[in-house]
Amino acid sequence: MTIVTNPAGYADVGARTPAIEAPPVVVSIVVYQPCPWLDEVLEALANQDYTNLQTLFFVQSGSEGTSDRIRHYLPSSVIRQVEGNPGFGPLMNEVGRLVEGDGGFFCFMHDDVALDTNAISCMIDEMFRSNAAVVGPKMVMWDDVTVLQSVGLGADRIGDINPLVKSGEKDQQQHDAVRDVFLLPSACLLVRADLFREIGGFSPDIALFGEDLDFCWRAHLSGARVLVVPTARARHRAEMNASRSIATMSALEARHRVRTVATLSGRVQLPVVMMQLLIMAIARVFIGVFNGTFREAQSSLRASVAVILDVGYIVRRRAEVRPYRRIPAAEIHDLQSRGSARLWAFIRKRQTRVQELSGLSAQDLADPKSRTVGIIALVVIGLIVIGSRGLIGNGVASVGQFLPLRSATESPSALFSSFVSGWWHGGFGQAGANPTGIALLAIAGAGVLGRIGALQTLGVVGAIVVGSFGMWQVTSGFFGSRARIVGFLIYAAVPIPYVAVAQGRFEVLVCFAALPWMLRLLVRVGQRPVGIQKTQLLATTILFGAVVMAFAPVFAIVALWAGGAWMIADLVLRVRLRAVIAVAQLLVVMSIGAVALNFPWSGGFFATDWWQQIIGVQSTSNGHIGIATLARMDGGVVAISVLVLGFYVPVIVGLLIVRGDKLVWAARSATLVVTTCIAIALIDAGYVHLGVPEYGVMFVVVACGLSLASTTMASFVFDDQSENAFRWGKALAGIAGVCLAIACLPVLAQTANGRWGQPKVSLAQLVAQLPTDPESGDYNVVYVGRSEVLGLPAMRLNDTTAFAIAQDGELTMRDHWLAPSNALTDAAGQALNAAISRQTVRTGRLLSSLGVRYIVVPIIDGAASTNKKPLEAPTGLLDGLSLQLDFRRVYTASDLVIFENMAYIPSLTKLDEASAVLSQQGGTNALLSSQLRVEQVIPRVGDIGSLPTSLESGTVHVAVPFSDDLVLHVNDSDVIPRVAFGGTTAFDSPAAGVATLGFRTPWSHLALLLMQLILWSIVIIATFNVKRLKSRIGVRRIQPIVLGESNDVVLKFSNTTVHTDEEGNGLS
Amino acid sequence: MTVRQLILVVVVLVAGATLVTIDGNSDGNVQNDLTQSNLLAATGIAEMPFVSSEDAMTTNWFCPGVPANDDTISSSLVIANSSETDFSATVTLLSKDQTPVVNAVSVPARSHITLDARGGITSPFVSAIVEIVGPEGSVEQIVRHPAGDAVVLCATQPSKDWYFADGFTGADSIEQIVMTNPYVDATVVDITFVTTDSQRSPEQLQGFVLPPNSVVALSMDEQGARNEPIVAVSIHASSGRLVAGRAQHYLGQGRLGYSMSLGAPAMSTQWWFADGEKIAGNSENLIIYNPSSRDRSLSVVFINGSDSANSIEPLLITAPAHRVTTIDTGTIPSLPVGRYGIIVSTNDQDKGDSLGIVVEQVINRRDGNTVGTSIVLGAPHNSGSTMWTSPSGVSSSEDALQIMNTTSQEATVSVYQVGPAGAVVLGGLESLVLSAGGVLSVGVPPGLPDAQIIVQSTMAVVVQRLFLRGHDLIGRSAALALPHLPSPQVDVLAP
């Protein structure tokens, strides 16, 4: 059967060529939308000098006019309507199904490629001549055929594309030699049909961007040659890419590239290649900052990391590829570019393939604004890193609340074990749910592969960066990048985080890192998302709040306060009421949700001392400092910090000069700053007597306001100024800008320190002199003094004094969380109060049953209290303790006083008979009148356990709160516990034997943990749209392609008349 | 600029102004607080033994010590319980180089017990610590010396500082400073003394170590203060705390007798004496010790209600730093004969140093050729109370109790004795009128059972006890009663 596809009127091929048999070629094109250049494309096809040519068009349903246009040029074309947009690759795979028979060729084309008349015949000719399987034409620019677009592409081992021509390179036939290439653009590919079918066509999982790399790579694997045929020329508009954003293209290209590399690389090379992939992705992020391709680099990094999620897909896909993997991977690698195509491209100032395909010029892409912003961001981060060099090099000192992470106690397994056990190690220890933060810390520890020491440094330094980046995000979508980078810069330049680092204020740092992201959530909810987006937003907020509150419960108060100020501003500026309500709703949902996710630990918040549990003990130095000093945000320690007041100038300037929608932002920033400062001033001056979070935490709200004010003002300068008619505004903005620049100086000067002023020698090192697990028996330590210098969360004793309990050994991160008060902490507080108020000189006896051996009074911790600016010990504390007859001074210095309680008994002992009798009494009188005696010391291990110890019958006492789940195993029997001394636990063992202390985890606790896990899972599913995630993790396949019914002929590869050229040579 | 924008700007400016205002007030508050704080610190309410009027877990008494190596001297501890419930007490006896001896005793309600203060221990001195569970109970020690008995107050807490204004080693008189360290830690003290000529800080008395749970006595004559008519002593613990007492055995040069007393744990700006007396044959001296490094301007006021003593102009003197100033009231011609109260107070404002002084009163009561010397430390500032107690009771004499009204209002005073029926007012000693700023000498009839005495007044008073010296010796020994502090409100005296 002879099929003549082109009408004689348009291509007089029959007259020009003798009829010989030619291999059939089916040209397949996808036409999605009517486009003006389609006529040129169709005409070029119609003019092809290749005779055995059939055309197959996939036209999106509804484009009736398009079919008519196709029929006009190519009347015998087969046209199939396509439902939806299944993507180029998957749709082209339909060609293999729709065309019957082998022995022919498929020519896949975009609808914006116009072939030269002889393009098909040249490619067929070369295909036979070179025994190639995939060939492609030389691509030139649509509007200027003298400019090369592509003569094939190279690729390195990690799939980075290496264009063989420079951008804008003129065609001087310099690339006109036929050559093997690693891949050809899918804009025009001529493929042997049998090979196409054998290797499964294009990847069904790659709708667009990257399908050519994947296909050509697999072609190579099957042993086929891929050639570029420069004598065949095609013009290409690259419209398919131009219609999409660079971000979308980058993301898709990166994801498909990583998948392809992971799928098609050899088994042996794969680990190295994946490592190379990750390293290059990270390197690209840095390079991207400079060459304005940060976003693309970000996509690349994200794709490289997310490959973990594609494991399932990769495994299956590799199995699919395995049957036709005929060429060793090493040979394939020989075909690939050496080194890094991306690096070479960078060095040679070449553009990436995506950039080329986008049709944007290099000038367009190298956005100077983007570059400036990137450089500023990098400089700021660099300064933070430089300023933190001492911390990075030598680690974070254990000052203030910065408790160290130790592998013995903070390893992921130890933390998980503790979390599940139902025994809270903090304070005296007690049966109860551990803080959720312990589980999160364990996960984080596992995330850094157990390098928990690095985790702390990363957390401390990273918090500053995270907070600053969060502030960059707050106004995303509202202000330009240059204005936003000012906000980023200002937030990074306020002294709060650095003072927090110096003084070890963990919660301040957490709030600093988290609050901007909370504000971002307020912005997003103000845009009133609906449906799944709203659900996702609410879930994100809950998850975010839960994670932050797990480490810093005070964040809930800060977020509510900031949210309240935010709403006030919105109401004043008459922002849509619904948006304000949405903000309120979000705050309520966050509070309730975060508490729910942290349950059962958060159950401790529902107590009489709930406020203290959340905000901690009010700092006693918070008083009569003066707002002028406080506003400097560093406590006024450094004289130069007065310059920081310059940050406040944009608050008022912003209100004066901005217009329109930006006034809302100015008002928000002013409200955040003003309301918080007034609250602080009132409390500081003593007009309001409320327990409030420490000033550092409250000033985080102020810092956010200052940063927003700067951003708003910068937006006026960078985004609106050209249209602004008010010149005085420009002058004011200039003045404010100068103030901002000056205000940055104190922090800039601080970078010289390298540790942000954090002392190298900490109080913890001095306290380390106390013995750990001594043979004389385990014990507890009471830390008492000003809450700022205690180093661990404390309970309020009186207006000026707080106290905390710890077990012997080094204080570590596990001690960060404040354990709920119980009978033992109450007893300890009562005893300390008695000492301070001089009600007794036998406080030692009162503390004896609690196993308290040492009373530590920190005075100068080098952070909140320094030699230059010491915080005196609370009035009466040292005098009261010095009066005690049972206390021996172990260490007395200006910075620290340690008393040893000579009346103490170890925390796990066998009591003598008299003491055993005494233990059955509650109240203080029994303790005050008698000295407890010990018969035998039992060594404790772990959180609540002991070494097996041989004991005579008698009473074993353990200085932990009573719990039914405590058990003393004596030989094979369990001894039931009883309450001792009104709060502790004792076991009256009737028989001698080997005894071991233990704790039975209650089922109810496990049930609660399971419920917590379910809650977290639900919120995570809602947050991350797990349906999408699941499709990502699973082997995602494109939806089935639905083609409309057609009456066109069935396409077949069969013998046909092959036209010959003028000399009578057949096209073989 | 829009109206809304203008309003916002105004609001922010007003808020800024508010901040400045608040800040200004804050500074004022700080200043005030600081001033008050300084004043409180500087005023330094002098601590003296007292019975707490508030709830306390334990009540502790640290007795300064009794001689325990001389069989001619006996001593006892008196523990009084005026409450309606029994209580138990722990008595710990400390001595030199010996393990503390601990005994538990029970004191029935409305009674007192007397214990041997030596507890069978042989040592130069033995000191007792009495720990009572609960807020009730009062303790003092009695030394029965051949040269005269002495009733001695016990401290309610150890102190870092102790002062003794009077000291006398003339005619080879014996003066011993008895230092008790009740702690499990060593206490390190620096001892300085002042004689007529100079202040001395002997090297061996600097960094002097008191071993844990021990009693150490220093004879001042052995420390370079032999035959000195003036020996004022100050003790400062550079580490730890202690209790200090002074034992004096006068052997001549105008003084005879035995005295044992607790030191002053702090300086004070005022000292009150309820028993000033200008009686023929007797001599009265006020020994004023200024341990500070600044001279002090002092006023000495003699009061006796509406009596003529009130007409005396205050005596203005200067107490030189690190010196002892002695005022012989007999040399004040305008001071009328009889009894009066004495107030010694400083006139200085704070100059960055402690304001206080320490004042003791020495009275030599002469009968023919013999003399009986009594010494009493004044009641410091803020120690006036409406209730005073005498755990060991009083001697039956015509001047057993000397009461001075420290207020400008008339007071009514009653004297009670604690017995099985509780506190019962003594016949004839009820609702005694005490004029504003007046003094009252209360006699106690013979035959009174040995029991705790309580003096109650409607206004704050100072109560001093005069005891017979025993052994048929002439004169009196003196001791303050124990005030109940904070002073309880007494509107109407109990019947």
Side-chain angles (χ1 to χ4, degrees):
Chain A
M1 185 176 70
T2 301
I3 298 174
V4 179
T5 57
N6 298 329
Y10 284 97
D12 191 15
V13 286
R16 289 184 284 111
T17 58
I20 59 169
E21 284 194 355
V25 174
V26 173
V27 177
S28 176
I29 300 178
V30 182
V31 181
Y32 282 110
Q33 292 168 346
C35 42
W37 57 85
L38 185 62
D39 293 316
E40 281 190 68
V41 174
L42 295 172
E43 187 173 3
L45 270 177
N47 288 337
Q48 284 302 304
D49 59 7
Y50 193 75
T51 53
N52 197 357
L53 195 66
Q54 304 171 73
T55 51
L56 171 61
F57 287 86
F58 294 100
V59 179
Q60 196 171 24
S61 293
S63 304
E64 298 301 333
T66 304
S67 300
D68 294 341
R69 287 165 68 186
I70 294 170
R71 297 257 186 239
H72 176 69
Y73 291 104
L74 299 164
S76 55
S77 293
V78 173
I79 300 174
R80 301 300 298 266
Q81 299 289 324
V82 181
E83 298 294 332
N85 183 6
F88 179 80
L91 198 53
M92 285 304 175
N93 287 346
E94 290 298 303
V95 177
R97 187 175 63 82
L98 294 173
V99 178
E100 295 178 356
D102 288 326
F105 299 88
F106 297 136
C107 181
F108 304 110
M109 282 177 56
H110 292 182
D111 62 357
D112 57 350
V113 175
L115 299 174
D116 280 2
T117 308
N118 63 345
I120 298 289
S121 55
C122 287
M123 286 193 286
I124 292 290
D125 187 33
E126 191 58 40
M127 187 168 272
F128 279 97
R129 183 181 299 133
S130 302
N131 192 22
V134 183
V135 297
K138 173 170 73 179
M139 312 287 280
V140 295
M141 303 301 284
W142 180 273
D143 296 321
D144 186 355
V145 295
T146 64
V147 177
L148 289 169
Q149 193 180 73
S150 167
V151 287
L153 300 162
D156 60 15
R157 293 186 174 194
I158 59 171
D160 273 335
I161 305 299
N162 179 20
L164 301 178
V165 295
K166 293 178 183 175
S167 173
E169 185 176 344
K170 284 284 187 182
D171 184 9
Q172 301 175 71
Q173 299 181 338
Q174 69 273 37
H175 296 291
D176 276 4
V178 174
R179 62 174 165 178
D180 288 286
V181 292
F182 192 74
L183 76 151
L184 293 161
S186 62
C188 182
L189 277 177
L190 186 66
V191 185
R192 229 172 54 211
D194 58 336
L195 175 89
F196 185 78
R197 289 195 174 104
E198 183 192 3
I199 66 174
F202 289 104
S203 168
D205 305 307
I206 300 177
L208 204 60
F209 302 115
E211 73 280 359
D212 39 15
L213 174 68
D214 181 87
F215 177 77
C216 293
W217 195 328
R218 283 186 287 119
H220 284 298
L221 284 175
S222 70
R225 290 184 72 186
V226 179
L227 296 179
V228 63
V229 183
T231 51
R233 194 178 69 170
R235 292 185 299 140
H236 184 210
R237 287 185 66 89
E239 288 292 335
M240 189 180 290
N241 307 315
S243 62
R244 289 167 174 81
S245 71
I246 292 176
T248 308
M249 284 195 303
S250 302
L252 288 172
E253 188 273 341
R255 182 191 298 176
H256 296 153
R257 177 171 60 84
V258 171
R259 281 182 163 191
T260 299
V261 170
T263 303
L264 303 180
S265 292
R267 196 186 312 153
V268 177
Q269 291 84 1
L270 188 60
V272 178
V273 168
M274 294 312 293
M275 189 57 68
Q276 191 179 350
L277 196 68
L278 189 63
I279 291 169
M280 279 307 300
I282 294 168
R284 278 192 64 194
V285 169
F286 286 99
I287 294 169
V289 171
F290 293 101
N291 67 2
T293 59
F294 178 76
R295 185 161 289 181
E296 294 88 319
Q298 204 180 3
S299 301
S300 177
L301 180 60
R302 195 183 298 138
S304 301
V305 173
V307 72
I308 298 165
L309 302 176
D310 289 331
V311 169
Y313 166 82
I314 292 164
V315 169
R316 174 171 171 176
R317 190 81 180 119
R318 286 182 73 91
E320 289 174 352
V321 171
R322 194 172 300 122
Y324 53 86
R325 198 188 271 272
R326 302 191 185 95
I327 303 298
E331 286 188 26
I332 299 296
H333 282 179
D334 289 343
L335 292 172
Q336 292 169 324
S337 307
R338 292 179 182 278
S340 166
R342 190 75 60 172
L343 190 60
W344 283 112
F346 174 69
I347 292 169
R348 292 178 307 190
K349 305 289 183 186
R350 286 189 174 184
Q351 291 177 286
T352 64
R353 175 172 178 262
V354 170
Q355 290 165 348
E356 270 190 287
L357 293 176
S358 70
L360 295 173
S361 68
Q363 202 172 3
D364 292 334
L365 290 166
D367 180 3
K369 292 179 188 174
S370 168
R371 189 157 48 204
T372 306
V373 167
I375 289 172
I376 290 174
L378 199 67
V379 167
V380 170
I381 293 169
L383 285 173
I384 291 171
V385 172
I386 290 169
S388 308
R389 62 189 181 279
L391 306 178
I392 296 168
N394 303 319
V396 177
S398 301
V399 294
Q401 298 170 337
F402 288 168
L403 298 172
L405 292 159
R406 301 293 184 218
S407 55
T409 50
E410 274 80 24
S411 68
S413 59
L415 289 174
F416 267 124
S417 170
S418 177
F419 183 73
V420 175
S421 72
W423 183 264
W424 189 342
H425 155 87
F428 289 107
Q430 65 180 353
N434 276 263
T436 313
I438 286 185
L440 295 176
L441 197 62
I443 293 169
V448 294
L449 306 175
R451 300 276 301 171
I452 50 178
L455 180 66
Q456 188 182 32
T457 307
L458 188 68
V460 169
V461 180
I464 304 171
V465 179
V466 167
S468 304
F469 187 63
M471 191 46 74
W472 155 268
Q473 285 289 333
V474 171
T475 52
S476 175
F478 293 87
F479 297 150
S481 58
R482 285 185 295 174
R484 287 163 56 205
I485 201 65
V486 171
F488 173 92
L489 174 66
I490 298 306
Y491 198 63
V494 293
I496 290 172
Y498 312 105
V499 174
V501 170
Q503 300 188 355
R505 310 315 298 171
F506 181 82
E507 293 195 333
V508 175
L509 214 50
V510 170
C511 290
F512 180 84
L515 191 58
W517 296 98
M518 187 66 221
L519 296 183
R520 177 61 189 165
L521 291 169
L522 297 185
V523 172
R524 285 180 60 193
V525 80
Q527 294 167 326
R528 297 178 56 211
V530 293
I532 184 71
Q533 284 183 327
K534 185 175 181 180
T535 306
Q536 268 187 287
L537 181 61
L538 292 177
T540 303
T541 308
I542 291 172
L543 190 64
F544 172 76
V547 170
V548 178
M549 277 183 65
F551 292 95
V554 70
F555 179 72
I557 306 298
V558 175
L560 289 174
W561 176 270
W566 189 275
M567 287 190 291
I568 289 171
D570 284 4
L571 287 172
V572 170
L573 268 294
R574 296 184 186 172
V575 173
R576 288 170 307 174
L577 187 61
R578 286 186 179 180
V580 179
I581 292 172
V583 170
Q585 185 188 25
L586 186 84
L587 292 170
V588 172
V589 166
M590 184 209 72
S591 305
I592 296 172
V595 169
L597 283 193
N598 279 297
F599 192 82
W601 167 62
S602 59
F605 296 157
F606 299 98
T608 52
D609 62 344
W610 65 277
W611 186 247
Q612 180 180 303
Q613 290 280 331
I614 292 174
I615 69 164
V617 175
Q618 167 73 10
S619 172
T620 51
S621 63
N622 286 4
H624 307 304
I625 298 170
I627 192 68
T629 305
L630 287 169
R632 292 154 68 171
M633 294 184 269
D634 75 333
V637 176
V638 185
I640 195 178
S641 69
V642 72
L643 300 178
V644 168
L645 297 178
F647 283 134
Y648 293 83
V649 175
V651 176
I652 191 75
V653 170
L655 279 176
L656 283 168
I657 63 176
V658 298
R659 297 285 183 277
D661 293 344
K662 290 184 175 60
L663 185 60
V664 176
W665 289 97
R668 284 170 177 168
S669 61
T671 317
L672 287 171
V673 172
V674 171
T675 54
T676 312
C677 281
I678 287 180
I680 292 171
L682 287 172
I683 293 160
D684 178 66
Y687 289 107
V688 177
H689 298 282
L690 280 177
V692 293
E694 60 179 297
Y695 289 157
V697 169
M698 295 182 74
F699 266 107
V700 169
V701 182
V702 176
C704 286
L706 297 178
S707 176
L708 276 184
S710 306
T711 310
T712 309
M713 195 195 68
S715 172
F716 167 80
V717 174
F718 296 124
D719 301 342
D720 294 351
Q721 194 193 21
S722 57
E723 299 164 12
N724 198 296
F726 299 96
R727 299 199 172 196
W728 56 269
K730 185 180 176 183
L732 278 179
I735 293 168
V738 171
C739 290
L740 287 178
I742 293 171
C744 293
L745 294 178
V747 166
L748 200 61
Q750 275 283 81
T751 57
N753 179 273
R755 301 180 63 84
W756 304 113
Q758 193 182 63
K760 289 180 181 172
V761 179
S762 66
L763 196 65
Q765 289 167 282
L766 296 175
V767 178
Q769 64 185 289
L770 304 181
T772 302
D773 298 329
E775 287 184 5
S776 56
D778 297 278
Y779 59 88
N780 295 313
V781 182
V782 170
Y783 293 83
V784 58
R786 289 181 178 270
S787 60
E788 305 96 309
V789 298
L790 287 188
L792 66 170
M795 285 163 278
R796 184 178 184 277
L797 200 59
N798 57 42
D799 285 345
T800 56
T801 318
F803 75 102
I805 312 291
Q807 293 167 26
D808 62 304
E810 187 184 22
L811 293 174
T812 61
M813 190 61 188
R814 283 203 305 169
D815 298 297
H816 163 74
W817 289 272
L818 175 63
S821 56
N822 53 46
L824 272 60
T825 53
D826 290 348
Q830 194 181 4
L832 292 170
N833 257 329
I836 294 168
S837 59
R838 304 188 182 188
Q839 287 193 47
T840 182
V841 291
R842 289 296 185 187
T843 299
R845 288 185 181 175
L846 293 175
L847 294 172
S848 63
S849 65
L850 307 179
V852 174
R853 180 173 176 184
Y854 292 103
I855 295 90
V856 177
V857 185
I859 300 169
I860 295 174
D861 66 344
S865 174
T866 60
N867 284 317
K868 287 182 182 174
K869 198 176 178 183
L871 295 173
E872 297 296 331
T875 308
L877 174 63
L878 285 175
D879 282 344
L881 294 175
S882 299
L883 277 175
Q884 302 306 311
L885 296 178
D886 296 317
F887 287 178
R888 184 173 72 89
R889 292 183 303 280
V890 176
Y891 184 88
T892 306
S894 58
D895 53 353
L896 175 71
V897 180
I898 301 176
F899 295 93
E900 182 177 9
N901 177 16
M902 303 305 287
Y904 97 105
I905 59 169
S907 59
L908 180 58
T909 59
K910 180 174 177 294
L911 299 174
D912 73 352
E913 199 173 330
S915 300
V917 172
L918 205 64
S919 72
Q920 295 174 355
Q921 300 178 33
T924 56
N925 286 1
L927 290 169
L928 284 169
S929 58
S930 305
Q931 169 72 54
L932 299 181
R933 308 273 177 207
V934 173
E935 275 190 2
Q936 188 175 353
V937 172
I938 306 170
R940 285 179 67 173
V941 290
D943 289 348
I944 182 68
S946 74
L947 293 175
T949 308
S950 293
L951 293 176
E952 294 298 319
S953 63
T955 299
V956 172
H957 175 259
V958 56
V960 299
F962 173 77
S963 168
D964 285 330
D965 297 308
L966 286 166
V967 62
L968 185 73
H969 307 282
V970 180
N971 295 335
D972 294 329
S973 58
D974 292 347
V975 181
I976 299 170
R978 68 166 170 84
V979 178
F981 301 111
T984 58
T985 308
F987 303 88
D988 296 319
S989 175
V994 176
T996 312
L997 178 70
F999 179 76
R1000 288 182 295 225
T1001 304
W1003 285 108
S1004 58
H1005 173 72
L1006 295 175
L1008 286 173
L1009 287 189
L1010 183 64
M1011 190 180 80
Q1012 188 183 19
L1013 182 65
I1014 292 169
L1015 280 176
W1016 278 82
S1017 303
I1018 290 170
V1019 175
I1020 288 170
I1021 287 168
T1023 300
F1024 292 106
N1025 190 2
V1026 172
K1027 190 177 173 185
R1028 207 176 102 201
L1029 196 68
K1030 189 180 169 188
S1031 68
R1032 173 74 192 260
I1033 295 171
V1035 181
R1036 186 174 68 90
R1037 293 287 169 171
I1038 301 298
Q1039 296 289 328
I1041 295 167
V1042 180
L1043 300 177
E1045 293 297 323
S1046 173
N1047 296 324
D1048 291 342
V1049 295
V1050 175
L1051 290 169
K1052 290 180 181 176
F1053 286 138
S1054 56
N1055 291 335
T1056 185
T1057 303
V1058 177
H1059 300 277
T1060 57
D1061 59 16
E1062 290 177 7
E1063 285 79 32
N1065 298 325
L1067 295 171
S1068 56
Chain B
M1 181 182 286
T2 63
V3 174
R4 198 176 303 164
Q5 200 165 2
L6 190 64
I7 292 170
L8 278 172
V9 170
V10 170
V11 166
V12 171
L13 289 175
V14 169
T18 308
L19 281 173
V20 172
T21 308
I22 293 170
D23 205 28
N25 291 343
S26 169
D27 288 340
N29 291 343
V30 172
Q31 195 58 44
N32 290 339
D33 286 352
L34 284 176
T35 307
Q36 286 166 8
S37 170
N38 287 342
L39 277 175
L40 283 172
T43 303
I45 297 171
E47 298 172 19
M48 70 170 290
F50 64 95
V51 178
S52 176
S53 301
E54 295 178 334
D55 266 356
M57 279 187 176
T58 58
T59 310
N60 308 285
W61 298 90
F62 299 85
C63 298
V66 296
N69 58 355
D70 186 345
D71 290 338
T72 64
I73 305 169
S74 64
S75 53
S76 57
L77 283 173
V78 179
I79 306 173
N81 178 6
S82 61
S83 73
E84 299 300 312
T85 54
D86 300 354
F87 65 67
S88 60
T90 305
V91 180
T92 305
L93 298 177
L94 305 178
S95 55
K96 189 178 181 184
D97 302 330
Q98 294 182 50
T99 308
V101 176
V102 182
N103 292 301
V105 295
S106 177
V107 184
R110 302 179 295 276
S111 69
H112 72 283
I113 61 169
T114 303
L115 306 170
D116 178 8
R118 294 172 57 170
I121 299 171
T122 301
S123 178
F125 278 88
V126 170
S127 295
I129 304 168
V130 181
E131 298 172 62
I132 300 168
V133 177
E136 304 292 343
S138 53
V139 178
E140 59 190 359
Q141 71 175 31
I142 300 169
V143 180
R144 293 187 175 80
H145 192 280
D149 299 344
V151 175
V152 189
L153 302 184
C154 298
T156 41
Q157 64 181 37
S159 174
K160 293 181 82 70
D161 295 289
W162 291 93
Y163 302 97
F164 299 94
D166 181 57
F168 185 84
T169 56
D172 290 330
S173 295
I174 300 166
E175 177 177 345
Q176 289 176 301
I177 300 298
V178 184
M179 295 175 288
T180 305
N181 174 14
Y183 292 99
V184 288
D185 248 347
T187 293
V188 181
V189 297
D190 300 323
I191 302 169
T192 303
F193 62 87
V194 172
T195 60
T196 312
D197 302 325
S198 62
Q199 174 178 272
R200 298 186 210 170
S201 301
E203 194 176 333
Q204 73 273 16
L205 297 183
Q206 306 307 301
F208 188 83
V209 178
L210 305 178
N213 289 323
S214 70
V215 183
V216 175
L218 286 179
S219 293
M220 293 311 296
D221 57 332
E222 294 173 3
Q223 307 303 325
R226 190 168 187 178
N227 282 323
E228 290 284 355
I230 292 174
V231 184
V233 179
S234 66
I235 304 167
H236 173 72
S238 57
S239 172
R241 289 164 187 266
L242 74 156
V243 178
R246 178 191 55 201
Q248 295 192 106
H249 188 187
Y250 305 115
L251 300 175
Q253 286 190 4
R255 293 193 185 192
L256 287 176
Y258 180 81
S259 155
M260 176 87 203
S261 55
L262 184 69
M267 293 181 273
S268 176
T269 53
Q270 287 186 356
W271 293 92
W272 299 66
F273 296 91
D275 180 36
E277 54 184 70
K278 189 173 185 181
I279 297 171
N282 295 358
S283 69
E284 178 188 66
N285 288 290
L286 293 173
I287 314 298
I288 303 169
Y289 176 32
N290 178 7
S292 72
S293 56
R294 288 181 185 276
D295 295 353
R296 298 294 177 205
S297 171
L298 308 178
S299 297
V300 183
V301 179
F302 301 92
I303 60 169
N304 189 7
S306 59
D307 207 335
S308 55
N310 284 349
S311 61
I312 301 173
E313 284 295 313
L315 191 64
L316 298 176
I317 61 166
T318 299
H322 303 306
R323 286 290 182 277
V324 173
T325 306
T326 303
I327 299 174
D328 182 355
T329 57
T331 62
I332 304 172
S334 55
L335 187 65
V337 174
R339 292 186 184 274
Y340 43 81
I342 307 170
I343 305 167
V344 182
S345 57
T346 59
N347 301 324
D348 301 308
Q349 294 299 312
D350 180 31
K351 290 177 181 173
D353 198 353
S354 175
L355 284 171
I357 51 170
V358 182
V359 185
E360 287 187 291
Q361 181 197 43
V362 179
I363 298 178
N364 291 301
R365 294 181 175 88
R366 182 174 295 276
D367 185 4
N369 292 329
T370 188
V371 171
T373 302
S374 71
I375 300 166
V376 68
L377 178 69
H381 180 61
N382 283 347
S383 59
S385 174
T386 55
M387 187 177 288
W388 292 73
T389 191
S390 173
S392 58
V394 291
S395 300
S396 297
S397 66
E398 73 282 3
D399 55 359
L401 292 168
Q402 302 299 318
I403 306 170
M404 179 170 68
N405 186 350
T406 62
T407 69
S408 57
Q409 289 180 288
E410 186 178 86
T412 306
V413 180
S414 293
V415 180
Y416 301 83
Q417 186 174 45
V418 179
V424 177
V425 69
L426 291 175
L429 299 182
E430 57 193 355
S431 302
L432 305 172
V433 176
L434 177 57
S435 60
V439 293
L440 186 65
S441 181
V442 178
V444 174
L448 194 68
D450 196 17
Q452 181 182 359
I453 292 290
I454 294 173
V455 177
Q456 205 173 47
S457 167
T458 54
M459 304 303 296
V461 295
V462 171
V463 178
Q464 184 178 320
R465 295 170 291 174
L466 295 179
F467 296 97
L468 299 175
R469 295 173 62 210
H471 314 287
D472 295 328
L473 296 170
I474 65 149
R476 299 282 186 273
S477 65
L480 282 169
L482 290 166
H484 288 239
L485 294 174
S487 178
Q489 184 74 32
V490 177
D491 295 325
V492 181
L493 295 175

